Amino acid sequence: MPIEVRVPTILRTYTGGSKAVETTGATVAEAIDNLEDAHTGIKERLVQDDQVRRFINVYVNDEDIRFSGGLKTELTDGDVVVILPAVAGGSA
Amino acid sequence: MLTIDRATYDAIVAHARRDHPDEACGVVAGAAGSDLPTRFVPMLNAARSPTFYEFDSTDLLALYREMDDRDEEPVVIYHSHTATQAYPSRTDIDLASEPGAHYVLVSTRECGSGAGPVDFRSYRIADEQVSEEEIRVVDSYTDADVAQPATKE
């Protein structure tokens, strides 16, 4: 069951330049594992200590997964996963 | 080099003054590949902090979706430093995620919310490397700016 994953500019080095790739998985964690099989190295940029990295946002059908179960968020056929790095910084 | 029109430059400075002493942040979107910042989009600093900024995650998704629909890119990503110089901090460099963007920093440490001088500077940040670039402020973009976008270097 394909899940569409939208990849931000900075991670397109892992997807051969593609803006969107397809993967499978019953949860976001599984989808990221399957993404890693096809695009080695991408998982480390997304996940740390079994959590989405602090400055990476992952959305499933427009909802930030921090508010819907994190990496355990369930996926179904046709879901769209959007990955966006935080736009953040500051003098601290 | 960053080419930017006067009205957009002034809008960024006004936003920085208005939000002082918290950091202000936003983007100026432009047509993909044009390297011309045309659509000023001030963003809420979800951190509401004098030393940190972060776009709200829901606003961020809406912004990128809107830019996608309009075939735009974030040509400029700006924020203010309110007690330090207009130079990228370690945090700014670590978190920079748009290697194609012009990172604009405005320092309001001298002017605060008032009318005093601001420092307005622009950088490229890619692969943890910072390079400052010249800024050319124009009254409006000419056909030449549109036809021959400034090079990325």
Side-chain angles (χ1 to χ4, degrees), chain B residues 55-73:
Chain B
F55 292 6
D56 172 80
S57 78
T58 304
D59 294 351
L60 178 75
L61 179 65
L63 170 69
Y64 271 76
R65 177 141 302 159
E66 192 175 65
M67 288 194 295
D68 233 25
D69 290 346
R70 292 164 168 257
D71 200 19
E72 290 174 338
E73 293 170 336

Side-chain angles (χ1 to χ4, degrees), chain B residues 18-152:
Chain B
R18 192 164 65 239
D19 282 12
H20 184 93
D22 286 348
E23 293 194 4
C25 56
V27 306
V28 189
S34 72
D35 205 32
L36 277 187
T38 53
R39 190 167 67 88
F40 174 66
V41 188
M43 300 292 288
L44 185 75
N45 177 2
R48 293 178 186 277
S49 161
T51 56
F52 194 73
Y53 80 94
E54 181 171 9
F55 292 6
D56 172 80
S57 78
T58 304
D59 294 351
L60 178 75
L61 179 65
L63 170 69
Y64 271 76
R65 177 141 302 159
E66 192 175 65
M67 288 194 295
D68 233 25
D69 290 346
R70 292 164 168 257
D71 200 19
E72 290 174 338
E73 293 170 336
V75 178
V76 166
I77 298 174
Y78 72 88
H79 76 283
S80 61
H81 285 175
T82 58
T84 57
Q85 63 175 332
Y87 192 85
S89 66
R90 186 72 243 171
T91 312
D92 292 332
I93 297 165
D94 287 346
L95 297 180
S97 58
E98 289 287 358
H102 302 268
Y103 280 88
V104 164
L105 274 102
V106 176
S107 175
T108 53
R109 69 174 166 176
E110 285 190 54
C111 67
S113 310
V118 293
D119 206 10
F120 188 111
R121 294 164 72 178
S122 183
Y123 306 87
R124 295 291 191 172
I125 308 177
D127 299 327
E128 307 247 316
Q129 297 297 309
V130 175
S131 50
E132 185 162 13
E133 59 183 357
E134 255 181 77
I135 301 173
R136 188 169 66 101
V137 181
V138 297
D139 288 334
S140 60
Y141 301 128
T142 64
D143 289 348
D145 293 323
V146 175
Q148 297 178 322
T151 59
K152 295 267 179 183

Side-chain angles (χ1 to χ4, degrees), chain A residues 56-78:
Chain A
I56 291 285
N57 297 301
V58 178
Y59 309 85
V60 174
N61 302 333
D62 293 354
E63 182 159 10
D64 186 335
I65 64 167
R66 282 193 187 85
F67 310 119
S68 66
L71 290 172
K72 295 188 184 108
T73 301
E74 290 181 5
L75 296 175
T76 54
D77 193 14

